[in-house]
Structure formats: C-alpha cells, structure tokens
C-alpha cells in the first residue's frame, strides 16, 4: 500500500477520536497565555500515543517524533491553543462550559488536528527518515503572540527545523477542501495612537483657540497619501482609523483629540519606512497648523510570507492526497497571524483548511459567537498534515 493510502486508512480510523478531542478542547476553552488545562490535556493525549512532550512558554508544549535516521532532517508542525473572550451562541453538546470564553477561531481544531496527525506519524515512525517537531503554542490571539515567545525560548533549535507548516480553519471553503498561497499571504498589523494637541476654548472665538478637531480632520485625510502616494502599488497597504475622540461640545473646542487606527502591510522594510513617514507627516502637519501631536505606533505581528518552494511542494502533496479539485488558490488576506514570526525565521507554509457546510448552516466567520465547523474536516486535516509532513521529509 502506498503512503497516501496508508495515511488515509489511519486518518479514517482516528477521525472519531479526533472529533472527541476537538469537542473536549472546544468545551473547555482558555484565554491566551492561560492555557494550563489545555496544555495538560495535550500532554496527556500525546502520552497516550507514546509521545513525550516538554513545556515551553509556560502554557505551550513541544515534542518530537523520531523516524529512522532522525538527524537527517527536521521539520516542524504547528498548532495554537488559545480561545477568545466571546460568549458562545451555538446550541451543541460540546458548547463552551466557560461562560464568556469560546474557541471561535478554530484553535481547538488546529490542536486536535495536530494531535491526530501526530498519532498517525508516531504509528508510521519506522517507515520514514527524519524528525518531526510538534509545536503547540499558546497565545496566538494576544500580543506579543505565543510564537514570538516560543522562538525566544528556542523552539526553532535543538533540533532546528528546516521548515515549519501550520494550518488554519477557513469557513469560506467547504470541508474536504484546502487552500494555499505562495509568497505574501497575511499582513503585519500595527496599532497607531495619535493625540493631537491644540488649545481649547469657546467655539465662538476661534481666533483665541488652536482647534485640534480641525487639525485632526486634515490629518486623517493627509495620512491617506502614505497609502496612495508612498506605498508601492506592488505592496498591499492599509491605513484605517476606527476611533476619533474629541470631548468638546457644540460650543466647546477641546484641548486635544485622540485618534486610533491600524496600519497593515506585507513588506518589513516598507513597514518601518511607513511608520517614519506617518510620524513625520503627523508632526509636521500639526505644527504647521499651530498645534502639536504625540504619536505612538505599537508594532504587532509581522507579515506572513509563505516560502514559494515549500508551499509549492505542500500544495502538490495536497493535490496528490485530496485530488486537484479539492485544492484551491487563496487570495491575499489583510488579517494578521502570529505564525508570521516563524515565517520570518525559517521557510514556512500556512495553509487553510475548509470547514464550511452550507447545507447544515455552518457558515459563520471566525471570531463570531456562532462559529463552528463541519467536523468532517478533521479526517482531512489529520491525514493531510501527516502526508504533507512525510512528503516534506522526503523532499
Ligand atoms: Zn483569531
Ligand atoms: Zn486563529
């Protein structure tokens, strides 16, 4: 029997257990960097497959599966453990038992899938050469991101993986299908906080004041030229301001205005350059209008780059395993994801797992109270992840 068929057989056999594992994690969600019970459950589940693990980043875990000749090559597979502060609205048996906390981004699915894939790989360890590193990281949803802490604590060393592969649920794609994108895939996301300072007073006497509301209005318009005139058209860039607060009144000009927004792009050099341009323009414009400003740009996750060669091989493996008709190309995605940290360090591939089932009404987006998946996707995900890993070890 060839490897794909052998894995398909194991994926089918282990799918029911994987559903139970996913439901257990779903029913017992924990917030970012508080995943103590989830980590203990992952540890115990790995042990039941004969895999020992070590704690990393306080609530994360790392483990290895050694094939024959383990030094030959190491690759890493990654899952994330955390849930979100959302009240679950699904009426299902496995509904969250913790009010106000919910696995609404599918990290329960990623963790259960990696556990299932690990069980398959452990079973097949005499049939392949190399080492597979299993990375269960905490805190994807919260800055600074568990990935950055795992990297600082050495997850990409001893043994150093040549590449890292991760998957994420995708409710726009039907269960049974997966999506890939080579190169730029997800955006860096930085938070911008601006305080425009003027001099408040009676709105009837503008000559006595320096109006921070008018300055802010100009500033918001002017800053869009960073995107339209300075960003290369080849680099996706977004600058959005979602909050502006001037605590004046119909007849009161306030002393200051607070503006908050997000800057997203897909190039690290341009990202740094843009931050400087935003600061310079804001300071210069405020000064030219008689006011001043304080500007703070908080760096979020970097942009996510899918290594073209690795992604090409993973996509080809997926076509072999699932059939060409079940593998699609993904669009750019201006959301952010801390898997991007790994992609800045080693060749990385982050692909999407279809979880939608229109007929059963499973269509809600991630981060919504009604997000759920078609659990048929789990058989696909555990088998595909194991198959992609073995193909990559052989590449
Ligand atoms: Zn999320
Ligand atoms: Zn997520």
């Amino acid at each position: 029997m060839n490897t794909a068929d052998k894995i398909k057989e194991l994926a089918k056999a282990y799918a029911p257990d994987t559903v139970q594992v996913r439901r257990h994690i779903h029913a017992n969600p924990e917030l970012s960097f508080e995943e103590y019970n989830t980590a203990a459950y992952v540890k115990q589940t790995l042990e039941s497959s004969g895999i020992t693990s070590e704690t990393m980043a306080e609530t994360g875990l790392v483990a290895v599966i050694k094939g024959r000749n383990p030094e030959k090559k190491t690759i890493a597979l990654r899952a994330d453990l955390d849930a979100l502060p959302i009240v679950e609205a699904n009426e299902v048996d496995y509904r969250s038992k913790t009010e106000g906390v919910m696995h609404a981004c599918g990290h329960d699915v990623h963790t259960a899938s990696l556990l299932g894939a690990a069980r398959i790989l452990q079973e097949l360890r005499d049939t392949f050469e190399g080492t597979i590193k299993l990375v269960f990281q905490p805190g994807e949803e919260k800055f600074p991101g568990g990935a950055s802490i795992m990297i600082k604590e050495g997850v990409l060393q001893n043994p150093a993986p040549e590449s890292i592969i991760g998957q994420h649920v995708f409710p726009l794609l039907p269960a049974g299908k997966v999506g890939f994108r080579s190169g730029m895939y997800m955006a860096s996301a930085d938070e911008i906080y601006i305080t425009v300072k003027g001099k408040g007073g009676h709105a009837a006497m503008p000559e006595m004041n320096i109006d921070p509301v008018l300055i802010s209005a100009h500033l918001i318009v002017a800053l869009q030229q960073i995107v339209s005139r300075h960003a290369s058209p080849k680099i996706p860039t977004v600058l959005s301001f979602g909050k502006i607060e001037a605590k004046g009144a119909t007849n009161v000009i306030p002393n200051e205005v607070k503006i908050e927004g997000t800057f997203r792009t897909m190039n690290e050099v341009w990202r740094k350059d843009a931050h400087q341009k935003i600061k310079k323009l804001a300071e210069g414009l405020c000064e030219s209008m008689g006011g001043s400003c304080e500007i703070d740009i908080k760096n979020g996750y970097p942009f996510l780059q899918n290594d073209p060669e690795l992604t090409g091989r993973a996509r080809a493996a997926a076509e072999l395993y699932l059939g060409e008709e079940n593998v699609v190309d993904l669009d750019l995605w201006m959301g952010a994801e801390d898997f991007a940290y790994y992609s800045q360090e080693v060749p990385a591939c982050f692909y999407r797992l279809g979880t939608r089932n229109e007929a059963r009404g499973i269509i809600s987006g991630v981060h919504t109270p009604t997000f759920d998946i078609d659990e048929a996707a789990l058989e696909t995900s555990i088998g595909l992840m194991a198959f992609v890993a073995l193909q990559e070890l052989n590449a």
Side-chain angles (χ1 to χ4, degrees), residues 342-353:
Y342 304 114
S343 82
Q344 301 288 330
E345 302 286 330
V346 290
C349 173
F350 193 63
Y351 64 87
R352 292 281 184 169
L353 174 73

Side-chain angles (χ1 to χ4, degrees), residues 73 163 307-318 388 391-392 395:
K73 185 178 190 177
S163 56
D307 180 74
E309 285 170 24
L310 170 65
T311 305
R313 291 193 298 269
R315 195 188 197 287
V388 169
Q391 292 289 102
E392 196 48 32

Side-chain angles (χ1 to χ4, degrees), residues 192-198 211-217 219-220 223 240-248 254-261 286 292-296:
I192 302 177
Y193 299 87
I194 304 174
T195 304
V196 175
K197 298 186 168 186
D211 183 356
V213 177
L214 182 67
I215 298 174
S216 297
L219 183 58
I220 286 171
L223 283 172
S240 293
F241 291 100
K243 186 171 177 184
I244 171 161
E245 188 181 80
K247 288 187 174 165
N255 279 318
E256 61 179 37
V257 172
K258 289 189 184 297
I259 305 170
E260 294 178 16
C286 292
S292 64
C293 81
E294 274 170 18
I295 178 158
D296 183 22

Side-chain angles (χ1 to χ4, degrees), residues 116-288:
R119 191 175 168 191
I120 293 172
L121 292 163
Q122 173 75 353
E123 171 108 17
L124 296 177
R125 67 190 183 284
D126 294 334
T127 69
F128 64 84
E129 287 190 281
T131 297
I132 298 187
K133 198 168 208 174
L134 309 169
V135 177
F136 294 90
Q137 67 151 83
E140 191 286 320
E141 299 284 2
K142 194 171 177 182
F143 194 75
S148 70
I149 299 169
M150 297 286 279
I151 292 169
K152 270 194 202 116
E153 292 192 9
V155 77
L156 298 179
Q157 280 136 40
N158 303 324
E162 283 183 26
S163 56
I164 186 163
I165 297 163
Q167 63 174 344
H168 201 290
V169 297
F170 200 44
L172 293 175
L173 196 63
K177 292 182 188 285
V178 292
F180 287 84
R181 184 176 184 93
S182 188
M184 292 187 283
Y185 177 42
M186 291 176 73
S188 56
D190 306 316
E191 294 178 353
I192 302 177
Y193 299 87
I194 304 174
T195 304
V196 175
K197 298 186 168 186
K199 182 169 163 289
H202 201 300
M205 285 163 261
E207 76 280 16
M208 308 288 284
N209 310 327
I210 295 164
D211 183 356
V213 177
L214 182 67
I215 298 174
S216 297
H218 278 280
L219 183 58
I220 286 171
V221 174
L223 283 172
Q224 285 307 321
Q225 69 187 281
I226 303 290
V227 178
S228 72
R229 300 291 85 183
H230 293 288
S232 160
K234 293 175 205 145
I235 305 172
T237 304
V238 171
L239 178 63
S240 293
F241 291 100
K243 186 171 177 184
I244 171 161
E245 188 181 80
K247 288 187 174 165
T250 54
N251 53 359
V252 177
I253 302 296
N255 279 318
E256 61 179 37
V257 172
K258 289 189 184 297
I259 305 170
E260 294 178 16
T262 181
F263 178 76
R264 291 164 186 251
T265 190
M266 295 190 180
N267 177 298
E268 292 300 307
V269 175
W270 160 237
R271 179 188 182 194
K272 284 194 192 77
D273 187 24
H275 287 185
Q276 290 313 313
K277 285 190 157 64
I278 291 169
K279 281 182 187 162
K280 209 170 158 199
L281 195 153
E283 283 162 4
L285 186 137
C286 292
E287 203 196 310
S288 76

Side-chain angles (χ1 to χ4, degrees), residues 314-375:
R315 195 188 197 287
E319 285 184 355
L320 207 60
Y321 187 81
L322 298 173
E324 268 177 47
E325 68 283 7
N326 290 316
V327 181
V328 306
D329 289 320
L330 298 167
D331 273 336
L332 291 171
W333 194 260
M334 293 310 284
E337 157 69 53
D338 85 343
F339 185 82
Y341 282 113
Y342 304 114
S343 82
Q344 301 288 330
E345 302 286 330
V346 290
C349 173
F350 193 63
Y351 64 87
R352 292 281 184 169
L353 174 73
T355 52
R356 186 184 189 86
N357 186 324
E358 200 114 25
R360 289 176 47 206
I362 301 170
I363 53 170
S364 293
V366 293
H367 292 218
T368 70
T370 51
F371 172 73
D372 202 358
I373 65 153
D374 178 349
E375 289 173 324

